[in-house]
Amino acid sequence: MSRTEPQGTPLSDQFHLYDTTLRDGAQREGISYSIADKLAVARLLDDLGVGFIEGGWPGALPKDTEFFARAAAGELQLRHAVLVAFGSTRKAGIAVADDPQVRALLDSQAPVVTLVAKSDVRHIERALRVDVEEACAMVRDTVSFLVGEGRRVFVDAEHFFDGYAHDAGTALRVLDAAGQAGADVVVLCDTNGGQLPLGIAETVSAVADRTGLRLGIHCQDDTACAVANTIAAVQAGATHVQCTANGYGERAGNADLFAVVGNLVTKLGMPVLPPSRMPELTRTAHALAELANLAPEEHQAYVGSSAFAHKAGLHASAIKVDPLLYNHIDPADVGNDMRVLVTEMAGRASLELKGRQLGVDLAEKPEALAGALKKVKALEAEGWSFEAADASLELLLREEAEGAPAQPPFRLESYRVVLDHHVGGDVGAEATVKIHVGGERVIATAEGNGPVHALDAALRKALRGHLSWLDSVELSDYKVRILVGKTGTDAVTRVLVESSDGDRTWTTVGVHANIVEASWLALCDALVHKALAVSGATGEPRP
């Protein structure tokens, strides 16, 4: 039989970090893991140092059955974690040895099994349609059978907190049945997600005193308190926490693994991960988001791209003196970075810090710094936004620092864009650009599925042969926002263009009453920024 205790985690079996992304997390709307995805998720979680990985429900879902079969065949080699199979107790009126669902748990070859058992008398009588005596027997028989087969068993007491509030005696009888039969942990589940931290802590403490059992906690996020509830349970005595990557799960989701780990390690001093793995939190969170085919949550605690982003000038002034004055931890501890956002709220300190991050040192150029700050505030008042457009901001700062704008790799003479609407509803566009590049006047025309696409194609056609790096640059994202002016009628368009050369990405912004001109401004900034990077004039490495 495979080992049943986590390896390599500092607290070993004293404290369980248990992940259920592959079962509970997969219930989130929009997530559908392939078997290859499930194997990749498990490997990432194991590499992070999670102690237990719940792989799914073998016997109930064919995909999960195959996942465990492939894991057992050697496709999943775990270094830190133990693989867990999830399932239900025997059915009412059936001998446990004859229950195919219980047999499937054994056939999975998982060394640990987590059983779900109803602990709310209302669910027992109305959903299971059995009496409490039989419900407890179902738990007792199944746990005893699996333990007898050499499995380590955890029991998820479903709807525990609601059941305990309604009928504490029944809820405790279910826990006792599990504990007496040999379950190592009984997990108190806030299945409906309706609890608050103080209530969780009071109940966990009371149950620990009354039962003497090892307790775990499983929280849904319907009150936006899943992480707080989990931490409260740990402070009240729980030594087993169930979480999902990035809080994935049905409805509002589950307790977020990365926030729970961040709090346990940095706030409670509990080394639930190997120290070398803490800086991998952010990378792992983003990698798991990619496997779920979801964008990483920018404002996610600890690992979000905005988790340590500062916008107000007052914050930046303090950060300039000591970054920890406005950061609750060093972002590097969890593999994240501090960012300073430059907007109309920015002060001199914000802009100076941001310039330093972008490779433009304005500390010894107070006049340039003041000029840049004045220009940023004026442009933001007109609808420009540099918060997500670092490349355009860098060009602005360099212009102020050097006293002249960066020289573009070409000079525009004119451009023209024509839209064509054909019979049948097809719409296309044609653009012509006239530019001066490399001492030549070049005219180029190209078609596209829209005016910006056509304009970009025409510009590239005109520049091809003059810029050796042009083919490596592609437009990777394009966002448009219509900004309503003070009168409510003079709409202004703001365009954000994200460009990539395969090694890095950069974002530029353009603002104008005409969407094509706004796009042109952003496209030009993108090429100017790349040209500066190639020449080594920016803080970016040469490609």
Side-chain angles (χ1 to χ4, degrees), residues 121-187:
V121 67
R122 295 165 295 185
H123 284 265
I124 291 171
E125 295 177 346
R126 300 175 194 174
L128 288 181
R129 297 184 179 181
V130 298
D131 57 27
V132 174
E133 185 62 36
E134 174 64 4
C136 290
M138 292 160 62
V139 172
R140 190 180 304 109
D141 293 349
T142 312
V143 173
S144 297
F145 177 76
L146 291 172
V147 171
E149 292 291 331
R151 301 306 194 265
R152 187 177 188 182
V153 180
F154 305 150
V155 172
D156 280 1
E158 191 180 32
H159 297 284
F160 179 81
F161 291 94
D162 295 328
Y164 184 84
H166 177 73
D167 181 351
T170 295
L172 293 173
R173 282 185 65 185
V174 173
L175 299 190
D176 286 338
Q180 292 167 7
D184 281 346
V185 181
V186 289
V187 183

Side-chain angles (χ1 to χ4, degrees), residues 287-302:
L288 290 168
E290 290 295 329
L291 285 169
N293 198 28
L294 296 170
E297 171 52 52
E298 293 181 356
H299 300 280
Q300 187 176 354
Y302 290 99

